[in-house]
Amino acid sequence: SAVISQKPSRDICQRGTSLTIQCQVDSQVTMMFWYRQQPGQSLTLIATANQGSEATYESGFVIDKFPISRPNLTFSTLTVSNMSPEDSSIYLCSGLGGAGSGEQFFGPGTRLTVL
Amino acid sequence: GESVGLHLPTLSVQEGDNSIINCAYSNSASDYFIWYKQESGKGPQFIIDIRSNMDKRQGQRVTVLLNKTVKHLSLQIAATQPGDSAVYFCAENMGTGGGNKLTFGTGTQLKVEL
C-alpha cells in the first residue's frame, strides 16, 4: 500500500488565523479524502479532493471554511480558515488505491489546537 | 490538554485470550467493509476487509465476520497481544456509486492486560 505523509504533524494557532495542511502520497491514488477526528471520537469525512476541480463537501462542511486543492494525483492541501477553538481536532487525509482496490489508507494526521 | 470527548466503549482482555469487537453498520447498500486499528497519535491502519458477497474472511490472527441480515460486523483477534492495544474502527463503503466514501463506526478501545 502507499505511504501518506502530512505536514505539519501538529500546530498551535491563534483564533482568526488560517492553517494549510499538506498531504503527500508516495504513489498515484485514484481518490483522496480529508477527515476530521476530534479527541476520543470517530472520523468524520470533510470532503473528497478532486484532481483539477472543486472538492466535493459533505453536509456541514463548506468550501469557504475548508478550501481544498488537489493539483495532481499525489498531493492535496486542506486549509482551515478563520479558525476558532471549535476547530481544534486531528485532520487526516486518506488515499484510495487503484486497480479496483477498495482499501483506503491514511496519513498520520495533523493535530491542530486553536487558542 | 485535550478537550473532553465521548468515551469510547472499552474491551479489556487478558494477554493470550481471544478478542471479539463488534460493530453495527447503518446502510444496507454498503458493499465493502474495513476494520482499522488506530494507535495513539497515529492514523488508522488497515487490518482486514470484506466484501458483501462474503460472510467470513481470515487474515493473520484476525477474522472478520459479516452478517448482512442484521447489519453486523465483528473482528476477532486470536491470542491477543499487548501490541494489539488500540482503538478499533469499522468502516462501511457504498462503493463507486457512493463515491467510495467511508462511514466510520464509533470505535472500541481494546486494552490488553498482562
Side-chain angles (χ1 to χ4, degrees), chain A residues 9 11 14 17 23 36 40 43 49 57 64 66-67 76 83-84 86:
Chain A
S9 58
D11 208 342
Q14 295 297 320
T17 63
C23 177
R36 182 171 71 184
L43 285 77
Y57 290 84
D64 290 346
F66 297 102
S76 179
M83 287 183 286
S84 66
E86 291 71 33

Side-chain angles (χ1 to χ4, degrees), chain B residues 94-114:
Chain B
M94 285 189 286
T96 305
N100 281 303
K101 296 181 288 188
L102 291 178
T103 301
F104 280 79
T106 54
T108 297
Q109 172 88 53
L110 176 65
K111 294 186 177 180
V112 181
E113 299 170 347
L114 303 177

Side-chain angles (χ1 to χ4, degrees), chain A residues 46-48 54-59 61-64 66-68 78:
Chain A
I46 297 172
T48 303
E54 190 173 292
T56 305
Y57 290 84
E58 297 301 304
S59 176
F61 298 96
V62 295
I63 187 171
D64 290 346
F66 297 102
I68 288 170
L78 167 75

Side-chain angles (χ1 to χ4, degrees), chain B residues 55-108:
Chain B
D55 53 20
K56 180 179 180 179
R57 189 158 189 239
Q58 288 185 289
Q60 187 177 14
R61 276 201 312 119
V62 294
T63 301
V64 55
L65 300 178
L66 173 63
N67 185 330
K68 295 182 288 294
T69 303
V70 296
K71 292 189 288 187
H72 183 268
L73 270 173
S74 68
L75 176 70
Q76 301 177 0
I77 304 173
T80 312
Q81 302 168 359
D84 295 326
S85 293
V87 177
Y88 290 80
F89 292 99
C90 67
E92 59 182 302
N93 186 331
M94 285 189 286
T96 305
N100 281 303
K101 296 181 288 188
L102 291 178
T103 301
F104 280 79
T106 54
T108 297

